[in-house]
Amino acid sequence: MSAPTMPPKLAEIVDDFASAPREVVLEMLLEFSDAMPPLPAEMDREGMEQVVECQTPFFLRAEVADGTVRTWFDCPPESPTTRAFAGILAEGLAGASPEEVLAVPEDIYQRMGLAQAISPLRIRGGIAILGRLKRQVREQLA
């Protein structure tokens, strides 16, 4: 059996970013920021984990059920780059198995070519978001 790979949808998003001209990358990030789904009305930050490495108040929650991972993110609209990371993960991980989520490479942002487009501080926040998400998934599998 082959090793799990990241979800196909996320791989496609990574490839789209990696092949896009630099001036288009920021537009693509804004689109993901705008498309990030809001928290459901019945959910608030209670029970969500804050990612303190982010410069902005950022909260997330991952839930493993029926062989898939569901994710929720909460981030203010005033933080489009961080919201874009969340939007990319929300779309790219939709319907993914826990194994696929855990297979997302830590250097995903470099693979996307974002290291050239945004600040190292923002990249560090994005890596922390992914790390928290994976930890929550691992804890639920244990």
Side-chain angles (χ1 to χ4, degrees):
M1 196 166 138
S2 62
T5 56
M6 77 171 127
K9 181 67 183 154
L10 185 59
E12 188 182 308
I13 293 169
V14 170
D15 289 345
D16 288 349
F17 271 92
S19 62
R22 187 162 177 216
E23 60 275 8
V24 177
V25 166
L26 293 174
E27 288 173 35
M28 291 168 66
L29 283 171
L30 284 175
E31 286 173 20
F32 275 101
S33 175
D34 291 344
M36 190 186 97
L39 283 180
E42 70 278 1
M43 184 183 257
D44 60 20
R45 290 178 174 174
E46 192 69 37
M48 297 182 84
E49 180 176 358
Q50 182 168 8
V51 181
V52 294
E53 293 85 347
C54 290
Q55 294 175 283
T56 189
F58 188 97
F59 296 82
L60 66 84
R61 180 169 159 204
E63 195 173 275
V64 178
D66 302 321
T68 60
V69 176
R70 290 188 63 197
T71 58
W72 293 273
F73 302 100
D74 188 33
C75 178
E78 305 79 56
S79 305
T81 309
T82 308
R83 277 181 71 84
F85 283 152
I88 288 165
L89 291 174
E91 186 173 322
L93 299 177
S97 71
E99 295 75 23
E100 287 174 320
V101 172
L102 296 174
V104 174
E106 305 301 324
D107 67 348
I108 184 170
Y109 302 111
Q110 282 76 5
R111 292 180 186 207
M112 293 171 77
L114 295 180
Q116 295 77 39
I118 56 179
S119 75
L121 214 52
R122 299 242 187 285
I123 293 284
R124 192 163 64 238
I127 291 168
I129 291 167
L130 180 61
R132 292 285 201 312
L133 205 55
K134 288 173 138 184
R135 196 202 71 243
Q136 288 188 16
V137 169
R138 273 193 302 274
E139 287 174 354
Q140 291 175 60
L141 292 178

